């Protein structure tokens, strides 16, 4: 199947974490430091490293996969990237790992990673960026 006629993937899981490790030999993926929010005392902030892990079903053939990060309060696309992925069998789930470095976040609020396959929306994963309250001086 080519990309134009391949089935539209479905999302089995999408998680944000500090680091992903793929074990050599078994191919198993470990997700280290799964989180739902990021906090900072100052903005803008640069988040040094994070991973977006996505597990897809119903994918077969080649796809152009796009990951966008959108700030939800004003629909601003913070960043986006595209990669090509090939899936051999739609009955076998496929895994995607996006390792992001030096991600700039201008302000607190709700953000969402949005996953697209061949320019068609697959799913999103939202998270919160919080203003950290400084600890009182003692």
């Amino acid at each position: 199947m080519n990309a134009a006629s391949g089935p539209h993937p479905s999302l089995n899981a999408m998680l944000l974490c500090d680091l992903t490790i793929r074990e050599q030999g078994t191919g198993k993926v470990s997700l280290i430091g799964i989180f739902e929010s990021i906090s900072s005392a100052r903005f803008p902030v640069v988040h040094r490293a994070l991973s977006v892990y996505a597990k897809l079903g119903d994918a077969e053939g080649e796809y152009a996969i796009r990951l966008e990060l959108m700030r939800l309060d004003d629909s601003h696309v913070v960043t986006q990237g595209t990669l090509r992925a090939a899936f051999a069998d739609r009955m076998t789930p496929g895994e995607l790992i996006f390792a992001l470095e030096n991600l700039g976040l201008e302000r607190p609020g709700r953000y969402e990673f949005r996953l697209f396959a061949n320019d068609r929306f697959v799913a999103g994963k939202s998270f919160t960026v919080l203003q950290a309250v400084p600890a009182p001086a003692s």
Side-chain angles (χ1 to χ4, degrees):
M1 276 184 189
N2 63 36
S5 64
H8 187 61
S10 61
L11 185 75
N12 292 343
M14 191 170 185
L15 296 168
L16 309 179
C17 59
D18 295 328
L19 177 67
T20 53
I21 300 169
R22 187 177 298 274
E23 187 179 314
Q24 198 124 11
T26 66
K28 290 181 180 178
V29 175
S30 295
L31 306 178
I32 310 302
I34 296 170
F35 63 87
E36 300 288 330
S37 64
I38 295 171
S39 63
S40 177
R42 295 187 187 147
F43 288 90
V45 63
V46 174
H47 195 74
R48 299 192 57 89
L50 69 89
S51 289
V52 179
Y53 169 84
K55 189 167 196 171
L56 301 177
D58 297 324
E60 187 173 58
E62 285 198 20
Y63 296 85
I65 303 291
R66 184 173 81 245
L67 184 70
E68 289 182 357
L69 175 58
M70 181 174 285
R71 189 172 54 221
L72 294 178
D73 65 352
D74 62 359
S75 298
H76 171 72
V77 176
V78 176
T79 190
Q80 64 180 343
T82 303
L83 58 83
R84 299 222 42 99
F87 301 94
D89 176 7
R90 71 185 292 176
M91 300 307 288
T92 303
E95 294 176 307
L96 298 171
I97 297 168
F98 299 88
L100 307 175
E101 294 181 346
N102 299 319
L103 182 63
L105 301 167
E106 289 181 13
R107 60 181 185 246
R110 293 288 291 166
Y111 290 76
E112 184 175 73
F113 281 106
R114 294 183 174 178
L115 189 66
F116 297 83
N118 296 335
D119 291 322
R120 288 180 60 199
F121 181 74
V122 175
K125 172 64 177 159
S126 63
F127 65 101
T128 305
V129 176
L130 302 166
Q131 176 80 48
V133 178
S138 48

